[in-house]
């Protein structure tokens, strides 16, 4: 009887009633938090795992096509230059200085080169003092002396040389391939061909992946060898630093330029001074992937809202049922007390 009286008094006491209301609120919060945690944790974990997998897949999908195109273009450029070097080297092996008796002989050789390989602008024969004594081409360059030019010093040392792009006597950007032939008496002559820059431009156009991409060639000093969209003028220093040497095509997926995240790709062209470069905006390349990345996020948000609505409603319903049950119990104890009296 004394226990029943204590329970009844504590139930009817206003202070005890206030504590009971606070406990209902606490119960409601515990129910909401625990149920939400159990329901939402798997969804959040799945979304995070999906995001990381997506990032890896995206990185691979962005980098692999660029790397493959760079590798293919690198091989094409190396082939373009190598074939023409080999053709000139074959000529100087077969012909001595005395075999070129007139411009007609050189013109025949030049015509054969153009018909067989293409890309040759002119052809000149230069003696060991740097004097061009025979010339075939569209410019008046016969008699010009090249002894002070860097390419002549290089070919006299290396026997075969591919120059950087320069202006020269023609006053327009071009590069040359020069091959040295040594005579038995120690003298030598140089067969020098100017190569059409369109040979390079046609190869790099295949890498143009969009209006925000920029494809160009620099030399190993960082000087631009071709025109660019936004990285400087030809024969000036590029705004992109010379990358570290690699025998393979390389792609840097997080290259920062002007505060923007870009993708930088490059490939060293072997046996030449050229480096093929491409800079592309990540945003343009990722447009088609953005929806795939956002779909799981929207699914998570929608699922979380739905789960929270259900949890809030069910928790309120359960706590309200508990409150009703407690009220009935209080009335029951009150009636028992009254009956006992």
């Amino acid at each position: 009887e004394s226990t029943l009286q204590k329970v009844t008094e504590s139930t009817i006491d206003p202070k005890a009633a206030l504590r009971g209301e606070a406990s209902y609120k606490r119960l409601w919060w515990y129910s909401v938090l625990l149920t939400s945690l159990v329901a939402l944790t798997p969804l959040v974990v799945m979304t995070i795992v999906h995001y990381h997998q997506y990032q890896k897949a995206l990185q691979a999908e962005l980098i692999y096509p660029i790397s493959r195109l760079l590798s293919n273009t690198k091989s094409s450029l190396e082939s373009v230059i190598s074939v023409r070097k080999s053709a000139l080297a074959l000529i100087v092996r077969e012909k001595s200085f005395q075999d070129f008796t007139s411009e007609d002989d050189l013109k025949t050789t030049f015509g054969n080169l153009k018909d067989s390989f293409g890309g040759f602008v002119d052809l000149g024969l230069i003696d060991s003092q740097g004097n061009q004594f025979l010339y075939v081409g569209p410019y008046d360059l016969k008699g010009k002396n090249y002894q002070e030019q860097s390419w002549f010093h290089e070919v006299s040392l290396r026997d075969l040389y591919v120059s950087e792009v320069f202006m020269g006597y023609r006053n327009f950007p071009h590069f040359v391939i020069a091959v040295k032939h040594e005579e038995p008496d120690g003298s030598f002559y140089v067969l020098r061909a100017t190569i059409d820059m369109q040979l390079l431009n046609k190869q790099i156009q295949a890498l143009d992946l969009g209006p925000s991409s920029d494809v160009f060639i620099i030399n190993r000093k960082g000087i631009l060898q071709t025109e660019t969209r936004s990285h400087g003028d030809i024969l000036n220093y590029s705004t992109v630093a010379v990358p570290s040497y690699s025998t393979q095509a390389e792609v840097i997926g997080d290259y920062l330029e002007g505060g923007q995240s870009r993708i930088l790709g490059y490939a060293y062209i072997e046996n030449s001074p050229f480096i093929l470069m491409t800079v592309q905006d990540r945003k343009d390349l990722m447009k088609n992937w953005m929806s795939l990345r956002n779909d799981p996020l929207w699914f998570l948000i929608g699922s979380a809202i739905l789960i929270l609505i259900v949890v809030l409603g069910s928790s309120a319903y359960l706590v309200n049922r508990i409150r009703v049950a407690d009220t009935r119990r209080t009335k029951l104890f009150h009636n028992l007390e009254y009956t006992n009296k």
Side-chain angles (χ1 to χ4, degrees):
E1 180 180 352
S2 61
T3 303
L4 178 62
Q5 184 177 0
K6 290 179 181 179
V7 173
T8 305
E9 288 176 355
S10 65
T11 305
I12 299 174
D13 183 20
K15 293 182 180 180
L18 289 175
R19 287 194 298 270
E21 187 64 29
S23 68
Y24 292 136
K25 290 182 179 179
R26 253 193 329 271
L27 180 60
W28 181 82
W29 277 110
Y30 289 155
S31 176
V32 170
L33 291 176
L34 291 175
T35 308
S36 300
L37 184 63
V38 171
L40 292 177
T41 298
L43 285 175
V44 173
V45 171
M46 288 177 60
T47 304
I48 293 173
V49 171
H50 178 274
Y51 178 79
H52 285 291
Q53 290 179 341
Y54 165 83
Q55 288 294 104
K56 292 180 180 179
L58 176 61
Q59 194 77 355
E61 288 296 328
L62 289 179
I63 289 177
Y64 176 72
I66 297 174
S67 177
R68 183 181 59 187
L69 285 173
L70 280 171
S71 298
N72 292 341
T73 307
K74 165 184 163 71
S75 299
S76 298
L77 287 170
E78 290 173 350
S79 176
V80 164
I81 295 172
S82 177
V83 165
R84 284 151 185 81
K85 286 193 323 186
S86 299
L88 293 174
L90 180 62
I91 292 172
V92 299
R93 286 194 188 99
E94 290 185 342
K95 293 189 176 184
S96 66
F97 186 78
Q98 291 75 21
D99 292 330
F100 295 99
T101 57
S102 66
E103 285 191 359
D104 289 337
D105 295 330
L106 189 63
K107 190 176 293 184
T108 300
T109 300
F110 178 61
N112 292 334
L113 287 173
K114 286 188 70 175
D115 294 340
S116 300
F117 304 102
F120 289 93
V121 177
D122 58 22
L123 191 65
L125 209 62
I126 302 164
D127 63 20
S128 56
Q129 283 73 45
N131 297 310
Q132 186 161 250
F133 63 94
L134 288 179
Y135 172 78
V136 176
Y139 304 98
D140 185 16
L141 298 177
K142 186 176 180 180
K144 295 291 184 180
N145 186 276
Y146 296 98
Q147 191 171 19
E148 300 302 322
Q149 296 202 10
S150 60
W151 68 264
F152 185 77
H153 293 287
E154 292 291 340
V155 73
S156 63
L157 295 173
R158 302 184 185 181
D159 295 342
L160 194 154
Y161 179 66
V162 179
S163 78
E164 301 171 348
V165 175
F166 63 102
M167 299 295 284
Y169 291 124
R170 293 161 180 77
N171 202 31
F172 75 92
H174 64 284
F175 76 100
V176 302
I177 299 177
V179 184
K180 184 178 75 172
H181 174 86
E182 291 191 5
E183 299 288 351
D185 60 0
S187 63
F188 66 88
Y189 77 88
V190 175
L191 185 65
R192 174 186 185 271
T194 301
I195 307 300
D196 190 353
M197 288 294 295
Q198 287 301 316
L199 281 177
L200 301 184
N201 293 329
K202 287 179 181 178
Q203 299 298 323
I204 66 176
Q205 284 171 0
L207 283 174
D208 192 358
L209 301 180
S212 64
S213 66
D214 203 356
V215 185
F216 51 92
I217 293 176
I218 63 174
N219 64 15
R220 305 196 181 195
K221 299 175 184 177
I223 298 175
L224 289 163
Q225 309 290 280
T226 59
E227 298 288 347
T228 73
R229 287 177 174 171
S230 57
H231 292 86
D233 297 324
I234 189 170
L235 298 182
N236 290 326
Y237 281 98
S238 169
T239 58
V240 181
V242 178
S244 57
Y245 177 77
S246 175
T247 57
Q248 299 177 343
E250 300 289 343
V251 179
I252 302 173
D254 54 354
Y255 174 70
L256 291 178
E257 183 181 63
Q260 301 290 327
S261 179
R262 304 187 186 279
I263 297 176
L264 172 67
Y266 67 92
Y268 276 73
I269 310 304
E270 298 297 331
N271 301 315
S272 81
F274 303 132
I275 308 172
L276 176 64
M277 307 285 292
T278 176
V279 181
Q280 301 180 52
D281 194 339
R282 286 181 65 92
K283 292 181 179 179
D284 285 350
L285 294 176
M286 291 176 62
K287 282 181 179 179
N288 295 330
W289 291 87
M290 292 301 291
S291 60
L292 294 177
R293 186 188 71 175
N294 292 334
D295 286 346
L297 181 61
W298 289 117
F299 176 76
L300 174 63
I301 293 173
S303 299
I305 292 173
L306 182 61
I307 288 172
L308 288 175
I309 291 173
V310 174
V311 168
L312 290 172
S314 60
S315 297
Y317 174 77
L318 290 175
V319 171
N320 187 58
R321 290 294 300 271
I322 293 172
R323 181 187 285 108
V324 170
D326 288 345
T327 302
R328 290 178 178 174
R329 186 185 62 177
T330 302
K331 289 181 179 180
L332 176 61
F333 280 118
H334 180 72
N335 292 333
L336 290 173
E337 182 185 29
Y338 181 79
T339 304
N340 186 49
K341 290 181 178 179

